[in-house]
Amino acid sequence: MATPERFRRLWETLLPVGRDPAGGWVRYSWSEADLACRRWFAEQAAARDLVLETDRNGNLFAWWGDPRAPDAVVTGSHLDSVPHGGAYDGPLGVVSALLAVDVLRERGVRPRRPVAVAVFTEEEGSRFGVACLGSRLLTGAIDPDHVRTLRDLDGVSLAGAMAAAGVAPEGIGPDPERLARIGAFVELHIEQGRRLVELDAPVGVASAIWPHGRWRMDITGEGNHAGTTRMSDRRDPMLTAAYAVLAANKEARLRGCHATVGRIEVTPNATNAVPASVVAWLDARAPDRAALEALVEAVRVRVRERAGRDGTTVTMTAESVTPPVEFDAGLRDRLSGLLGAPVLPTAAGHDAGVLAAHVPAAMLFVRNPTGVSHAPGEAATDEDCAAGVAALADVLAELAG
Ligand code: GLV
Ligand code: MN
Ligand code: MN
């Protein structure tokens, strides 16, 4: 049975991995912490006699049933994190999937379809910049030659990081044969908001994901002395970046969208120097594709115009753009009926959203009392997590049992 105590016992075996003294969890893909998460997953798979596979993109699959058989029911999420993120975003879906397998076995369920627990690589894009990297590669949504050249902040390429972890980077890319064997994908995830609190429900079913993306703004000016350079002589890229932050916020508010500049890099990053250049990342999300395009275009126009006044130059490059996702309506209705759970949309990206373009996909959300996510304040009670496990077990039994 899915109990809070059982959830807690397994949860605590993963909890210390990547916990950062400065707060939250730091589990970047292919880092020491990520490798420890992968070892943890391998141990959990072995303890359950699940057959572990690492696919050519570094995604992990632990199989209950024949990995070669068609029409598999796959469930899972990711173990990587944003910088100093919360505990639940990603790991809750993996831990719940393992526990759901335990519950089904105890119930004596013998699946007609193979079941797999999956862990996708670099869902957050925190190291190499592209969100849902593992699922995008698997589904062919991104060019592997481009991906091999992606570099982290220390200049390490994705190819180098994978090779150092013992996974051949030459093999990354679309895996149509594997994808064709997935008959359905269900991702359980912490809710990243408070809708389930408002609805007084421990578990919900996803309806859709807002289109969203990341744009890198490279702003170049002229490095100079902070004390001696006359204000009128400056070409300060920080002014353009500051304006970009405000413009993004204003345009998003006016349009009922979301826009954030949460990351900025300043060169040379000296207190007594006018910066030479600034890189700022825009994260933009909107209810529909046209609104997203209009939002990003409005920010682009405003920032260009401001750069003209600042004597700087700006280029805006899309790093990853995700189209809107409508989850499979049949599956959504079947699951919400089965669970008696409310249906809600989200503006967060997920591997389930990437897979949804290829296989019937669904998501379950577990109530988050703080509503906080991508920060250490992310929360769930063990009771709600146990309810999530029970719901996922019911879903797997319905689909595969
Ligand atoms: C993923 O968590 C995202 O929406 O950024
Ligand atoms: Mn996330
Ligand atoms: Mn996530």
Side-chain angles (χ1 to χ4, degrees), residues 78 89-90 123-124 189 350:
H78 60 98
D89 179 353
E123 191 271 351
E124 298 289 6
H189 204 278
H350 298 285

Side-chain angles (χ1 to χ4, degrees), residues 234-371:
R234 296 178 181 212
R235 297 199 289 121
D236 185 349
M238 187 64 93
L239 299 181
T240 315
Y243 184 83
V245 174
L246 297 174
N249 182 279
K250 183 165 187 181
E251 290 295 340
R253 281 171 185 271
L254 289 173
R255 295 158 189 273
C257 303
H258 295 172
T260 310
V261 179
R263 179 178 167 204
I264 189 160
E265 280 169 19
V266 182
T267 302
N269 209 20
T271 308
N272 57 353
V274 176
S277 62
V278 173
V279 187
W281 280 264
L282 170 70
D283 178 304
R285 309 186 186 222
D288 61 63
R289 206 190 291 251
L292 180 64
E293 281 168 12
L295 166 65
V296 173
E297 190 50 29
V299 174
R300 194 193 305 273
V301 166
R302 277 171 163 259
V303 175
R304 277 228 184 101
E305 186 267 334
R306 174 74 204 202
R309 282 190 275 142
D310 291 334
T312 58
T313 58
V314 59
T315 58
M316 232 167 122
T317 318
E319 283 197 333
S320 65
V321 183
T322 307
V325 175
E326 281 291 333
F327 285 109
D328 185 274
L331 195 52
R332 176 200 66 204
D333 292 346
R334 195 166 156 201
L335 301 196
S336 68
L338 174 77
L339 304 171
V343 173
L344 55 154
T346 180
H350 298 285
D351 295 307
V354 174
L355 286 163
H358 305 269
V359 302
M363 289 192 76
L364 302 183
F365 292 130
V366 171
R367 177 165 54 191
N368 174 351
T370 62

Side-chain angles (χ1 to χ4, degrees), residues 380-399:
T381 64
D382 291 352
E383 287 72 19
D384 283 355
C385 292
V389 172
L392 183 59
D394 288 345
V395 165
L396 297 179
E398 165 84 5
L399 297 179

Side-chain angles (χ1 to χ4, degrees), residues 17 47 71-72 121 130 171 191 208 229 313:
V17 182
D71 207 23
T121 299
V130 179
E191 200 206 346
T229 316
T313 58

Side-chain angles (χ1 to χ4, degrees), residues 184-203:
F185 180 68
V186 182
E187 179 170 0
L188 179 146
H189 204 278
I190 186 76
E191 200 206 346
Q192 297 167 295
R194 282 173 51 82
R195 190 72 192 120
L196 291 173
V197 174
E198 291 163 5
L199 293 168
D200 195 22
V203 174

Side-chain angles (χ1 to χ4, degrees), residues 12-69:
E12 292 209 335
T13 61
L14 180 61
L15 212 51
V17 182
R19 193 165 200 160
D20 197 88
W25 283 262
V26 180
R27 294 167 173 163
Y28 299 144
S29 66
W30 305 114
S31 67
E32 259 317 306
D34 185 47
L35 297 183
C37 286
R38 288 166 181 269
R39 283 194 296 275
W40 170 88
F41 185 70
E43 284 160 18
Q44 294 303 326
R48 291 168 174 78
D49 284 324
L50 304 174
V51 178
L52 184 71
E53 280 185 312
T54 305
D55 77 3
R56 54 158 83 168
N57 295 302
N59 305 311
L60 304 175
F61 291 83
W63 289 95
W64 179 18
D66 181 0
R68 303 287 127 213

